[in-house]
Amino acid sequence: MFESTGSMTSITKDAQFEVCQFEDRIIEVVDAPGTNETGVEETKAIDLVVNAIVKALEINPEGFHAFLLVLRYGLRHTNEEEKAINILKGILGQSFLKTYGIVIMCGGDDFLHDHCDKKVSCKDYCSGQVGSFKTLLEECNGRIILFNNRATDEAVKYQQVKDLVTMVDQLPSKGERYTNEHFKKAEKERNLLYVTASVPMIEKETLVQHKIILYRINLIQSEPGEQKKIDSFKQLLSHIENLIQEIETKDKGTGALKFIWENVQNSKTAVNDLIVSCQDVIREREQIKTTEEKFN
């Protein structure tokens, strides 16, 4: 249904929708962009998938019976693929694979070529896998189907689609669709995903501002006059409080920015202590002055 090429960059940038008929069923399929889009930063890649899911649920508000994770036989399942799966779980909910996930391993023609003499089935091949690919299959409870996209035999093409439809019918969801309600329930997980993806950038921005704060603290301490220092520290304190509020807003209640928040909070405590110290000096001087005037 959808265009596919050998390009190293993904061509799916938006949700694509198609409908076909198989036996007595009308099958609606949405092709969404992958989370490991090449040439796209992580937060934008997340946006692509989230927007595609939103569009898919708008196209078909009744929801979807299954999520098909399309992997290619022969390509090593790397940390990038594992990261992509974790991102999908962050977008759709941690249990979406267990309830709705099916792995489609395309490149069946290459698989048959590699294993025709050994008489190794897809099931045998999968049972021998280790690492993140094994973990993925376990999460899907072993639900994987080998697809030969270049098959010309109509019986073969029919049977692999038949096997997929049967597997969808046997999902733990028992016919319940993934709807917008499921998507809404995963909002907190999406917030955490977005914030975690943004941590390096936010950390860098905050580090720059934090260094400026420390520089201004040292500068203020060299100023003459305790009251002048107090006034300057209070202005700096206002800036720090705005930075803390900004971090809390970006954190969205996820706690992912806690360590950044704590660093800035420590600076706020340090400035408050310096203000108290200056106030103590002023009080001590006033007491000395009062005592001197009394004895004079």
Side-chain angles (χ1 to χ4, degrees):
M1 290 184 177
F2 308 106
E3 182 182 0
S4 178
T5 72
S7 171
M8 294 299 289
T9 57
S10 174
I11 60 173
T12 305
K13 298 295 183 183
D14 197 4
Q16 301 178 54
F17 177 73
E18 292 292 348
V19 179
C20 69
Q21 184 169 357
F22 179 77
E23 296 181 341
D24 59 346
R25 299 176 187 240
I26 301 298
I27 301 177
E28 301 173 5
V29 182
V30 174
D31 184 26
T35 56
N36 52 351
E37 290 287 336
T38 49
V40 178
E41 66 180 52
E42 187 172 328
T43 52
K44 290 183 179 179
I46 294 170
D47 278 336
L48 280 173
V49 180
V50 169
N51 292 336
I53 298 299
V54 170
K55 183 176 179 181
L57 291 169
E58 288 174 351
I59 292 171
N60 188 20
E62 291 182 349
F64 295 88
H65 288 101
F67 286 95
L68 310 182
L69 279 68
V70 182
L71 305 176
R72 181 165 185 82
Y73 163 74
L75 293 184
R76 186 182 172 195
H77 197 68
T78 65
N79 290 335
E80 280 298 309
E81 278 67 46
E82 185 176 7
K83 184 179 179 181
I85 298 301
N86 287 330
I87 288 174
L88 283 174
K89 287 160 72 174
I91 292 172
L92 296 165
Q94 294 298 315
S95 64
F96 96 96
L97 279 175
K98 180 180 179 181
T99 310
Y100 299 98
I102 296 174
V103 176
I104 302 293
M105 189 164 69
C106 61
D109 52 319
D110 291 329
F111 179 90
L112 294 172
H113 177 269
D114 290 347
H115 299 284
C116 60
D117 295 335
K118 304 172 187 176
K119 296 182 179 180
V120 175
S121 67
C122 180
K123 183 177 180 180
D124 295 334
Y125 170 81
C126 291
S127 65
Q129 298 304 302
V130 296
S132 57
F133 186 65
K134 178 183 178 182
T135 302
L136 171 61
L137 292 178
E138 287 173 349
E139 286 199 74
C140 293
N141 197 27
R143 294 188 297 270
I144 183 169
I145 294 181
L146 180 69
F147 257 70
N148 184 351
N149 303 90
R150 294 179 180 176
T152 56
D153 187 328
E154 291 300 323
V156 172
K157 293 165 69 175
Y158 170 86
Q159 189 58 50
Q160 61 190 15
V161 176
K162 179 71 174 178
D163 291 343
L164 174 57
V165 171
T166 300
M167 190 171 286
V168 172
D169 287 341
Q170 295 172 351
L171 283 170
S173 58
K174 297 180 180 179
E176 179 189 353
R177 301 181 186 221
Y178 184 98
T179 66
N180 195 46
E181 289 303 311
H182 295 85
F183 191 62
K184 285 180 179 178
K185 287 179 181 178
E187 183 176 5
K188 187 174 181 180
E189 293 167 83
R190 282 194 297 279
N191 285 339
L192 178 59
L193 185 67
Y194 271 115
V195 175
T196 303
S198 303
V199 164
M201 181 180 65
I202 295 172
E203 187 176 16
K204 182 180 178 182
E205 293 171 351
T206 307
L207 181 62
V208 171
Q209 296 192 57
H210 195 227
K211 285 187 174 183
I212 292 172
I213 289 168
L214 295 176
Y215 171 77
R216 286 181 63 185
I217 288 174
N218 291 328
L219 203 63
I220 292 169
Q221 284 180 304
S222 65
E223 292 179 359
E226 302 306 313
Q227 187 57 53
K228 185 177 180 182
K229 289 179 183 178
I230 289 172
D231 294 339
S232 297
F233 278 135
K234 284 183 177 179
Q235 288 180 0
L236 180 58
L237 198 59
S238 177
H239 172 71
I240 294 173
E241 287 171 347
N242 288 337
L243 181 56
I244 289 173
Q245 182 62 49
E246 184 181 331
I247 294 169
E248 289 174 350
T249 300
K250 290 179 178 178
D251 185 77
K252 298 181 180 179
T254 64
L257 303 179
K258 183 180 178 182
F259 69 100
I260 298 176
W261 179 89
E262 287 176 344
N263 284 338
V264 181
Q265 192 72 31
N266 288 337
S267 294
K268 178 182 176 181
T269 301
V271 171
N272 275 319
D273 289 344
L274 287 167
I275 290 173
V276 171
S277 179
C278 290
Q279 289 171 339
D280 288 342
V281 171
I282 291 173
R283 271 195 303 271
E284 287 174 6
R285 288 176 180 174
E286 288 176 348
Q287 287 173 357
I288 292 171
K289 184 179 178 182
T290 301
T291 303
E292 288 176 347
E293 290 174 350
K294 181 178 179 181
F295 282 100
N296 289 335

